[in-house]
Amino acid sequence: MKKIVAWKSLPEDVLAYLQQHADVVQADPARPDAFVAALREADGGIGASVRITPAMLEGATRLKALSTISVGFDQFDVADLTRRGIVLAHTPDVLTESTADTVFSLILASARRVVELAEWVKAGHWQRSIGPAQFGVDVQGKTLGIVGLGRIGGAVARRAALGFNMRVLYTNRSANPEAEAAYGARRVELPELLASADFVCLQVPLTAQTRHLIGARELASMKKSAILINASRGAIVDEAALIEALGNGTIHGAGLDVFEQEPLAADSPLLKMANVVALPHIGSATHETRHAMARNAAENLVAALAGTLTTNIVNRDVLQR
Ligand code: DGY
């Protein structure tokens, strides 16, 4: 029987499914020695939200596949896994729509000041009808700039164009003719997007090329009225520069689901800013989607260990070895 190490608790039915194919050991990465020892015994691994370093894999010579319960795979050194002949699988499709919902809720909440004003009501400040001091800005009819028009970016573009009559601009390594035809999306260079968009929405994966893609210079090139939305990875934005830009009025506001350090420190200046909506990385966090992701990751792992996985592979080149 193959051995699988799990570093995230799994829904009962998903665990039962894995147990039909392998012995499953639950290991806690907060106990590094035991975790590394479990990896050394394992043929496969499944989990999320924990950095798996090359050092942790030293001596894990049986390991053939790792399966992350996420679309993002920045917790792994992909080149190192490929060198070791370890397949890395992820869950790109099942979370697209719920993550796009999170992005859109950040757009609406930031523009209409939903969180700030709900707290204002709870604090007992609503004593007469509201006036301009409580007004927000429109979302419908505005320009949305999507940096990275992949699956989630495409689902955000659909909501924007068809639901909110927004003009959609996007940057991407390659053109997305479907989004252009269906949503009127127009591909532009980043400087044009930053200068024209009312909402700048970041949807790129975190890589060496995208780390701090948005820094002081880029923030300064945005409209003063613009709102930055980030539900991809915190490190795409230089957070210190963002704090500065939000504090001195370089941009109007931000809706953030992700941060350079997570959980966000309780003393982060972002938490004191009325023009910031901060969420605890809830992108895909619905009961239905998180269950579908766990199931998808388990199926990916079982198939990878059987040598039959053909989709959801991050390091496809490992198969050529
Ligand atoms: C993902 O799937 O990458 C989400 O951000 C959760 O980590």
Side-chain angles (χ1 to χ4, degrees):
M1 194 83 156
K2 295 228 158 59
K3 283 198 179 142
I4 287 174
V5 56
W7 62 92
K8 189 176 176 73
S9 66
L10 299 166
E12 252 172 53
D13 61 316
V14 174
L15 181 59
Y17 166 77
L18 282 177
Q19 284 168 336
Q20 285 164 16
H21 299 273
D23 287 331
V24 183
V25 180
Q26 202 81 39
D28 180 2
R31 297 176 54 226
D33 291 347
F35 183 57
V36 166
L39 285 170
R40 287 201 182 131
E41 301 281 296
D43 300 281
I46 183 168
S49 313
V50 171
R51 178 127 196 90
I52 305 293
T53 63
M56 287 169 159
L57 301 178
E58 283 313 325
T61 50
R62 288 172 58 154
L63 205 55
K64 288 285 162 291
L66 292 174
S67 186
T68 181
I69 311 171
S70 63
V71 62
F73 45 83
D74 44 290
Q75 302 280 16
F76 300 85
D77 181 332
V78 178
D80 178 71
L81 294 182
T82 305
R83 267 193 302 277
R84 292 174 196 272
I86 298 171
V87 173
L88 177 63
H90 68 149
T91 62
D93 290 309
V94 288
L95 48 65
T96 299
E97 297 300 330
S98 59
T99 307
D101 284 346
T102 298
V103 171
F104 234 85
S105 67
L106 281 171
I107 294 173
L108 290 167
S110 306
R112 302 303 302 271
R113 302 169 58 186
V114 171
V115 178
E116 177 198 351
L117 293 177
E119 280 167 2
W120 184 79
V121 172
K122 281 190 184 164
H125 295 309
W126 189 24
Q127 284 156 8
R128 60 192 63 84
S129 63
I130 60 115
Q134 286 77 42
F135 292 173
V137 293
D138 275 340
V139 172
Q140 49 83 21
K142 294 283 182 68
T143 298
L144 175 66
I146 303 177
V147 180
L149 197 74
R151 294 174 178 85
I152 297 170
V156 171
R158 169 159 39 82
R159 283 159 176 75
L162 306 187
F164 289 81
N165 194 29
M166 296 177 90
R167 195 163 77 97
V168 177
L169 304 177
Y170 75 100
T171 65
N172 206 42
R173 270 181 310 188
S174 47
N176 187 324
E178 294 81 25
E180 292 182 9
Y183 318 129
R186 190 163 69 81
R187 186 169 170 224
V188 295
E189 296 298 325
L190 185 61
E192 181 179 345
L193 182 149
L194 293 174
S196 324
D198 299 300
F199 299 88
V200 172
C201 177
L202 307 176
Q203 295 300 158
V204 282
L206 178 61
T207 64
Q209 289 71 43
T210 60
R211 184 174 294 275
H212 286 194
L213 179 69
I214 303 298
R217 199 172 44 146
E218 289 72 26
L219 290 161
S221 72
M222 288 167 61
K223 292 180 177 180
K224 257 177 117 60
S225 56
I227 294 178
L228 180 75
I229 303 295
N230 190 9
S232 53
R233 285 295 182 266
I236 308 290
V237 179
D238 176 345
E239 204 164 280
L242 176 62
I243 290 168
E244 177 101 22
L246 289 165
N248 65 20
T250 301
I251 63 169
H252 180 67
L256 307 170
D257 188 38
V258 291
F259 302 89
E260 288 206 73
Q261 291 300 325
E262 295 179 7
L264 181 61
D267 63 354
S268 166
L270 290 169
L271 297 178
K272 298 210 165 51
M273 295 178 161
N275 54 347
V276 171
V277 175
L279 296 177
H281 200 148
I282 62 163
S284 59
T286 65
H287 289 293
E288 299 91 333
T289 298
R290 283 295 168 89
H291 184 274
M293 288 164 68
R295 178 82 200 184
N296 187 212
E299 287 171 357
N300 288 340
L301 182 56
V302 168
L305 290 176
T308 58
L309 188 67
T310 54
T311 57
N312 300 343
I313 302 172
V314 173
N315 54 346
R316 199 159 274 288
D317 43 340
V318 79
L319 304 177
Q320 263 84 66
R321 288 161 44 99

